[in-house]
Amino acid sequence: MVSTSKIKSVDFYRKIPRDLTEATLSGAGLSIVAALCMLFLFGMELNNYLAVSTTTSVIVDRSSDGDFLRMDFNISFPSLSCEFASVDVSDVLGTNRLNVTKTIRKFSIDPNLRPTGSEFHSGEVLSHVNHDEAGEEVVEDSVSLTSRNFDTLLHQYPISVVNFYAPWCYWCNLLKPSWEKAAKQIKERYDPEMDGRVILAKVDCTQEADLCRKNHIQGYPSIRIFRQGSDLRDDKAHHDHESYYGDRDTESLVKMVIGLVEPIHVEPHKLALEDKSGNASKTLKKAPSTGGCRIEGYIRVKKVPGNLMVSARSGSHSFDSSQMNMSHVVNHLSFGRKILPQTFADLKRLSPYLGHSHDRLNGRPFINQRDLGPNVTIEHYLQIVKTEVLKSNGHAVVEEYEYTAHSSVAHTYYLPVAKFHFELSPMQVLITENSRSFSHFITNVCAIIGGVFTVAGILDSILHQTMTLMKKIELGKNF
């Protein structure tokens, strides 16, 4: 066996007998300072070890072919009626979806953007409708209304069915023969002088623009049903009446009016706002109480250049493009999955990189006060960049889509629209989190302890030798 003395010979840390050591006041002070330095540097190193550093790089977008991108929006149009508001989506690959409704909700709003009721359901506004065949000479039996006699006549009859039209309108001219024939048959069946329960009337919106605007007429023809005493129900003077969206042939119109009149005999003092017959409920819907609309919801689009367009659309109405105002306020517009505020709070270290441009248009108004003239389309050009945060193990923590926005107005010969053109960048920003290894931390801690201890020992030795030298000089000794 190897003797104990031989083992002791390899001791790197040989001890000096305690009787041969001397404790000094300067050495004690320097030891305390060295211990505090070690503790401070250890805390700094521990904080550096626990902190996560990031590296940023730009790479080609790694999205796979066929991926879809969610687009959330909430936009208020103070001058576009929910009755005809349509959301359309298209892209460069040929996708063309008109009047998206499945994931879209509409709410009527007043000029101050305040909601005036529950969700607006347009029913079959855009469906195909039947008309009488043309060719017969038209005899006008419906009553022409103006702003002077409109309110008087509506309060005179329990039921007033009014056709708001424009002479230049294609659909109005198709309706005119059946409307006048229906007016004649209703007049013969319910004589205005003897019966006095219903009247069919019409308003020329080219001559009575203010009257039509007051009743929020934006598409022609618009058939409104007014019930006596219910057209001004609340303190805000919101018109509370119904719109007819059914077929426009004579038989359908007469059937609709009869369905409105007959219940009056049963309940003369309780005229409901909606007809009780099953057939009428399919063709009569509550008319918009104001001329504005808030459109909110989301769509899923392909990751290619495309367009989101909001406009007035109908397959059986005409629109006066010079009167359409596509002013709007973007309450919210973002792309991708919504990141909760709590997630941003947990990732404060990423605040310089995320959360600044994912909702750049939020709260911005784009209002045409008619100073730009008629037929104005408002366009927004959005360039989208994907930002992805990865952990050191490659797991994705956050995926955010930020965008830049440039807006402009353009005059058009066609129907004005609000257009959002979006285009995704082929590049993406990749932020990778880098954590330090434990071995690196231990190595640095050992370096701190050893380095401070060594430097403190050198300083103590210098200080001790200097003080010894000064004492010898004081005693007058030579060395």
Side-chain angles (χ1 to χ4, degrees):
M1 294 181 64
V2 181
S3 63
T4 304
S5 59
K6 289 185 177 180
I7 295 177
K8 289 182 178 180
S9 65
V10 297
D11 183 8
F12 292 164
Y13 309 101
R14 300 194 178 194
K15 312 301 185 293
I16 299 175
R18 190 175 186 85
D19 295 339
L20 300 178
T21 60
E22 180 185 1
T24 63
L25 188 62
S26 61
L30 197 59
S31 297
I32 293 174
V33 173
L36 293 176
C37 288
M38 289 182 189
L39 187 62
F40 174 75
L41 293 176
F42 173 78
M44 295 288 290
E45 183 62 26
L46 179 62
N47 181 68
N48 194 29
Y49 168 70
L50 296 177
V52 179
S53 62
T54 60
T55 57
T56 304
S57 57
V58 178
I59 63 173
V60 176
D61 190 355
R62 301 184 296 183
S63 301
S64 59
D65 186 25
D67 280 358
F68 285 84
L69 177 63
R70 176 172 171 141
M71 181 178 182
D72 290 89
F73 55 90
N74 184 322
I75 309 172
S76 297
F77 292 83
S79 301
L80 177 64
S81 173
C82 288
E83 187 175 13
F84 302 111
S86 173
V87 178
D88 307 329
V89 182
S90 62
D91 61 40
V92 296
L93 295 182
T95 301
N96 191 24
R97 291 184 286 162
L98 302 179
N99 192 31
V100 180
T101 58
K102 186 176 181 180
T103 57
I104 305 297
R105 303 176 68 192
K106 303 175 186 177
F107 298 87
S108 294
I109 58 175
D110 62 18
N112 296 318
L113 308 184
R114 293 190 297 261
T116 59
S118 58
E119 181 179 356
F120 179 85
H121 298 279
S122 57
E124 301 180 359
V125 174
L126 306 179
S127 63
H128 173 74
V129 295
N130 296 320
H131 297 80
D132 285 349
E133 295 182 2
E136 298 182 13
E137 184 178 353
V138 177
V139 179
E140 298 191 3
D141 283 286
S142 60
V143 179
S144 294
L145 299 181
T146 65
S147 57
R148 293 185 297 274
N149 65 353
F150 185 82
D151 291 332
T152 302
L153 195 69
L154 260 58
H155 285 81
Q156 183 178 346
Y157 294 90
I159 299 293
S160 300
V161 186
V162 183
N163 171 25
F164 293 88
Y165 72 100
W168 51 263
C169 166
Y170 168 78
W171 297 103
C172 297
N173 292 324
L174 284 181
L175 171 63
K176 186 175 181 179
S178 53
W179 183 260
E180 298 300 340
K181 285 190 286 185
K184 181 179 180 180
Q185 293 183 26
I186 293 300
K187 184 183 295 185
E188 293 173 351
R189 183 177 183 125
Y190 306 104
D191 184 84
E193 300 295 334
M194 302 297 296
D195 189 289
R197 285 182 293 173
V198 65
I199 189 172
L200 266 67
K202 58 189 176 185
V203 176
D204 184 350
C205 288
T206 61
Q207 300 296 323
E208 301 292 336
D210 291 338
L211 179 59
C212 293
R213 193 176 301 113
K214 178 182 176 183
N215 287 276
H216 315 298
I217 304 301
Q218 295 184 3
Y220 310 109
S222 288
I223 301 176
R224 297 283 198 259
I225 293 91
F226 297 85
R227 299 175 186 269
Q228 188 180 57
S230 67
D231 58 324
L232 294 176
R233 288 185 53 187
D234 54 29
D235 296 334
K236 297 179 181 180
H238 290 151
H239 290 267
D240 198 350
H241 46 262
E242 296 156 296
S243 292
Y244 173 72
Y245 300 128
D247 288 328
R248 297 174 186 165
D249 57 280
T250 303
E251 182 181 355
S252 298
L253 292 172
V254 171
K255 185 178 180 180
M256 177 267 295
V257 175
I258 293 175
L260 293 171
V261 176
E262 292 303 323
I264 295 178
H265 286 298
V266 179
E267 295 181 300
H269 302 294
K270 297 180 181 179
L271 292 179
L273 286 178
E274 295 185 3
D275 192 83
K276 299 181 179 180
S277 64
N279 293 331
S281 63
K282 299 178 180 179
T283 57
L284 297 183
K285 298 292 182 181
K286 186 176 180 180
S289 56
T290 56
C293 187
R294 186 180 80 236
I295 304 174
E296 62 182 52
Y298 71 91
I299 57 173
R300 290 166 54 85
V301 297
K302 296 178 181 178
K303 292 186 175 182
V304 296
N307 299 290
L308 169 70
M309 291 183 291
V310 180
S311 64
R313 180 181 295 278
S314 173
S316 55
H317 294 80
S318 298
F319 303 95
D320 185 355
S321 59
S322 64
Q323 298 298 318
M324 301 301 297
N325 186 345
M326 297 307 297
S327 298
H328 56 272
V329 176
V330 181
N331 304 310
H332 176 76
L333 179 64
S334 64
F335 296 88
R337 288 176 294 182
K338 185 177 180 180
I339 301 177
L340 300 176
Q342 182 62 37
T343 304
F344 278 121
D346 295 340
L347 298 174
K348 288 182 179 179
R349 61 184 178 275
L350 300 176
S351 58
Y353 311 103
L354 299 176
H356 297 290
S357 300
H358 69 286
D359 54 1
R360 182 178 290 267
L361 286 179
N362 282 20
R364 293 186 57 184
F366 301 90
I367 306 298
N368 175 16
Q369 300 289 1
R370 295 295 181 181
D371 53 336
L372 300 175
N375 296 57
V376 173
T377 286
I378 303 177
E379 301 182 2
H380 307 278
Y381 298 89
L382 314 177
Q383 293 182 306
I384 309 166
V385 178
K386 178 183 177 181
T387 301
E388 192 173 15
V389 181
L390 299 181
K391 281 188 172 294
S392 55
N393 59 7
H395 175 68
V397 180
V398 177
E399 184 179 279
E400 184 188 43
Y401 290 85
E402 300 192 341
Y403 63 89
T404 60
H406 303 278
S407 304
S408 65
V409 296
H411 290 271
T412 177
Y413 292 105
Y414 305 101
L415 199 64
V417 301
K419 182 178 181 181
F420 296 82
H421 174 78
F422 53 87
E423 183 172 352
L424 278 83
S425 171
M427 312 300 289
Q428 77 169 69
V429 178
L430 187 65
I431 302 173
T432 306
E433 295 183 335
N434 304 310
S435 57
R436 300 181 64 184
S437 65
F438 183 73
S439 60
H440 190 269
F441 168 71
I442 292 296
T443 301
N444 282 3
V445 170
C446 292
I448 289 172
I449 296 174
V452 172
F453 185 83
T454 301
V455 171
I458 294 173
L459 292 176
D460 180 64
S461 177
I462 295 173
L463 183 61
H464 180 69
Q465 294 294 333
T466 302
M467 294 182 66
T468 302
L469 179 61
M470 291 178 65
K471 288 180 179 179
K472 289 181 178 180
I473 293 175
E474 290 177 359
L475 295 174
K477 295 182 177 181
N478 296 325
F479 59 95

